[in-house]
Amino acid sequence: ATTGDNAYAHANLASVLSQQGNPVEAADHNRKALALESDNLIALSNLATLYLDSGKVGEAIKLYERSVELNPKFLYGWFNLGNAYQKRGRVNDAERAWQRAADLNPRMAAAWNNLAGLAIERGEFDEAITMATRAEAGGGGGAAAMTLGRALDAANRLDDAVDAYRRAATADPRSPVAANNLGSVLERTGHLDEAVSAFRRAVRLDPQSPVFEYNLGVVLEKQGNRSAAGEAFGRAEERFRAAGNSSMADAIATRREALGLSEEATAR
């Protein structure tokens, strides 16, 4: 209002509007900024993010590419470009973009975490462990600890995986996946009581998940607690069937029958 055609005022106003949940107005001010100054990095990046969030991945990629072309040291431009590439299935391009971000800031946890995830998918577990460790050291919190746990688990370093998943569950106590993954490794290392506690926590956090109920049932059965296992399997079967996964539901029904429990006992 005071300075008239001010590209940075439009770009910064767009940032605030976006944070307040007004993406349409934010996009309009970003476009106004770019009309005044086509190489305004704030507007380019912000508009690209709005496009990405609204599913316009191709448009987002073009803007992110433009931003890193203008400033090859634009850290978040490279990182977000990698995210956009990944959404398009351009995994190799995503990896190169995230690696560029990590090179620019060796403590960028999110970039190392994403790179570790790709390494796990390729079966390069030692490399994934190194990257996820860097992510956690860089302040990646529960997400980095979770990725490290996955890498250690895949590498069959189960005791170390337990420690990593414990850190993930502590950092994000509302994550049912962290609790479930911890329970899975605890079960395989013979810590059945702790595994039951972890799976029960996962079920409490996400009561609608049939997988968590099923995992709980498996450990309870291993403990010899047939009645409780049957109840967990019953809930899992019901939810799998409601989700349209009849093959899994039928398999669980067969398992319940093998436990020798009646429908009435299982329902209780």
Side-chain angles (χ1 to χ4, degrees):
T2 301
T3 61
D5 293 335
N6 186 324
Y8 278 94
H10 282 294
N12 290 336
L13 177 57
S15 296
V16 177
L17 288 167
S18 180
Q19 292 169 15
Q20 290 180 338
N22 295 307
V24 175
E25 288 184 74
D28 182 55
H29 280 282
N30 280 317
R31 293 189 191 97
K32 288 177 179 177
L34 292 172
L36 293 166
E37 190 175 284
S38 62
D39 60 352
N40 187 295
L41 286 178
I42 298 173
L44 280 169
S45 181
N46 287 348
L47 185 57
T49 299
L50 290 169
Y51 282 152
L52 191 63
D53 291 344
S54 63
K56 298 178 180 179
V57 183
E59 291 90 334
I61 288 174
K62 290 177 183 177
L63 293 179
Y64 285 136
E65 287 177 336
R66 174 64 176 156
S67 72
V68 296
E69 178 185 341
L70 288 167
N71 182 359
K73 294 185 178 181
F74 184 25
L75 175 65
Y76 288 99
W78 284 112
F79 177 74
N80 290 329
L81 177 58
N83 294 343
Y85 281 146
Q86 185 186 46
K87 284 197 173 185
R88 267 291 169 90
R90 296 170 59 177
V91 178
N92 291 337
D93 289 333
E95 182 175 20
R96 282 191 288 270
W98 289 329
Q99 187 62 62
R100 189 65 178 271
D103 291 341
L104 288 168
N105 180 4
R107 289 189 61 80
M108 188 177 189
W112 285 118
N113 194 54
N114 288 356
L115 290 167
L118 293 181
I120 292 172
E121 292 174 10
R122 290 196 300 262
E124 298 171 352
F125 303 133
D126 289 342
E127 184 178 354
I129 289 167
T130 299
M131 291 174 168
T133 298
R134 295 189 72 167
E136 193 172 17
M146 177 81 78
T147 302
L148 180 57
R150 288 173 53 214
L152 290 164
D153 191 353
N156 204 35
R157 291 173 51 181
L158 299 186
D159 289 338
D160 291 333
V162 167
D163 291 339
Y165 283 137
R166 285 193 198 282
R167 293 195 299 275
T170 299
D172 190 359
R174 301 299 302 169
S175 169
V177 177
N180 178 75
N181 289 5
L182 175 59
S184 176
V185 183
L186 286 168
E187 174 199 350
R188 282 177 281 138
T189 52
H191 299 87
L192 299 187
D193 289 344
E194 288 184 87
V196 167
S197 296
F199 285 134
R200 287 196 189 281
R201 185 163 68 251
V203 169
R204 285 196 302 271
L205 292 169
D206 185 1
Q208 299 308 312
S209 170
V211 174
F212 301 157
E213 285 281 11
Y214 175 77
N215 290 344
L216 174 60
V218 169
V219 183
L220 289 168
E221 184 181 6
K222 281 188 176 182
Q223 286 185 315
N225 193 340
R226 294 167 59 253
S227 177
E231 292 175 4
F233 284 143
R235 293 188 295 269
E237 178 190 349
E238 179 182 348
R239 288 162 193 167
F240 272 120
R241 209 171 293 285
N245 191 339
S246 58
S247 60
M248 189 66 186
D250 292 342
I252 294 174
T254 301
R255 191 162 186 164
R256 289 170 61 207
E257 290 175 7
L259 290 174
L261 297 173
S262 67
E263 290 292 328
E264 293 78 9
T266 302
R268 289 199 299 274

